[in-house]
Amino acid sequence: MTVVQKTPASTSASTRTPWLTSVLRTRELPVTVALIALVLLTYLANPLFLSPQGVKDLLLNATIMMILAAGQTLVIITRNIDLSVGSILGLVAFMTGTLFANVPGIPIWVVFAAGLAFGALLGAFNGFLVTVAGVPALVITLGTLYVYRGFNNWWAGGTQYFADDRPDAFGALAVDTIVGFPIITLVALVAVAAIAVYLVGARSGRDLYAIGSDPAAAKLFGIKVGRRVFVAFVGNGLLAGLAGVLYTARFNSVGATTGTGMELDVVAAAVVGGVAIFGGSGSVVGAALGAVLLTTITSALTAVRVDKFWQQAIVGILILLAIVIDRVSALRTARRLRLSEARDE
């Protein structure tokens, strides 16, 4: 009698297949592959691209966008959007410069706390209008984009605050590194990780996905839809406030135009990172990777001396591809569910 034993290789292959399949299906995989390919190709064209200073610049360029994309993800997965984040960042950045210039010796942690509170307040105003008035977030936040920007123009006027107006310790946040990472980049990574854990580990975080998938069903299930959406806007505003404070540490000046036009880049980063524009799916990690990819594209094309027009065109193409891929993926998932239900019957 011959006994045929299953070889270890076949056993490991069978156990690896489901894991490999799940990895290949992750929404973050395409943007990760694109980012790696972009970095390698740019390095081959210009080896200075990955010099120590080049890597530091890449990280610094992505820092602010990562935080804003993480906050935008909270809102988008609930089938909403916030177009006012650039204006919120500008207001908080100018407030930060004002505090340092007019309150000598103010502790840095107090400035951070004030920036977070101010950003959360502005986000709460957006959330209140969306949830109470019942007007689509696209319309509300388009309006507050101009309201906040107008207030910043009135407040700032022609005033600008420069690096000399802030403490050296505050400016060092964007200069000093820990294990090769700028301090403000580490702050961004901690913020992204905290939001990622919240969305996966907290019931209120998981409720945001349920709301985005089907708001009516979520309400029937007992989820406080209005309250959860309001909290998402507050969280988005808080993160925009954090980005505003770090923006002041990162750049040489802040004024009335700080943050102008950033809102579309933020939405693009989230969508390119796999966050479904129709809500219900996506991750903060993917949005952060999308932010890194978009800022790296700009740096890479600059490194190989490509015209700025083509930089914007490529970003636009990426957004279209991301939306098409997401739509195709959603249709395939729906088709598989229908086939599965048909077999069960």
Side-chain angles (χ1 to χ4, degrees), residues 299-343:
S299 299
L301 294 179
T302 301
V304 295
R305 294 182 174 86
V306 174
D307 187 82
K308 188 174 183 179
F309 165 79
W310 290 109
Q311 297 176 16
Q312 297 173 338
I314 290 174
V315 170
I317 291 171
L318 278 176
I319 296 172
L320 293 176
L321 285 175
I323 293 174
V324 170
I325 291 172
D326 180 73
R327 183 60 179 165
V328 171
S329 176
L331 291 174
R332 291 181 61 185
T333 300
R335 188 180 300 112
R336 284 198 299 267
L337 288 174
R338 288 196 298 269
L339 291 174
S340 177
E341 291 174 354
R343 283 196 298 266

Side-chain angles (χ1 to χ4, degrees), residues 6 32-33 59 61 65 79 87 124 144 146 178 182 235 243 262 264 271 281 289 299-300 341 343:
K6 189 178 289 185
T32 303
V33 172
L59 294 173
N61 291 339
M65 194 62 64
R79 288 196 183 185
S87 299
T144 55
Y146 290 107
I178 298 176
M262 294 186 69
L264 296 182
V271 172
S281 62
L289 287 171
S299 299
E341 291 174 354
R343 283 196 298 266

Side-chain angles (χ1 to χ4, degrees), residues 167-324:
D168 292 338
F170 182 71
L173 295 176
V175 177
D176 295 343
T177 60
I178 298 176
V179 199
F181 286 86
I183 294 175
I184 65 170
T185 302
L186 292 176
V187 172
L189 292 174
V190 170
V192 169
I195 300 300
V197 171
Y198 165 73
L199 287 176
V200 175
R203 178 177 177 179
S204 57
R206 295 192 296 272
D207 285 349
L208 299 181
Y209 287 101
I211 294 169
S213 298
D214 192 332
K219 182 174 281 189
L220 289 174
F221 193 68
I223 296 175
K224 305 293 185 182
V225 173
R227 183 183 303 174
R228 293 287 188 261
V229 171
F230 176 79
V231 170
F233 275 97
V234 173
N236 182 44
L238 185 144
L239 288 171
L242 173 62
V245 177
L246 296 181
Y247 185 101
T248 311
R250 166 76 175 94
F251 294 98
N252 290 326
S253 65
V254 292
T257 60
T258 298
T260 301
M262 294 186 69
E263 50 280 334
L264 296 182
D265 292 334
V266 173
V267 174
V271 172
V272 169
V275 181
I277 195 66
F278 302 108
S281 62
S283 72
V284 171
V285 174
L289 287 171
V292 175
L293 176 61
L294 292 189
T295 54
T296 302
I297 286 174
T298 301
S299 299
L301 294 179
T302 301
V304 295
R305 294 182 174 86
V306 174
D307 187 82
K308 188 174 183 179
F309 165 79
W310 290 109
Q311 297 176 16
Q312 297 173 338
I314 290 174
V315 170
I317 291 171
L318 278 176
I319 296 172
L320 293 176
L321 285 175
I323 293 174
V324 170

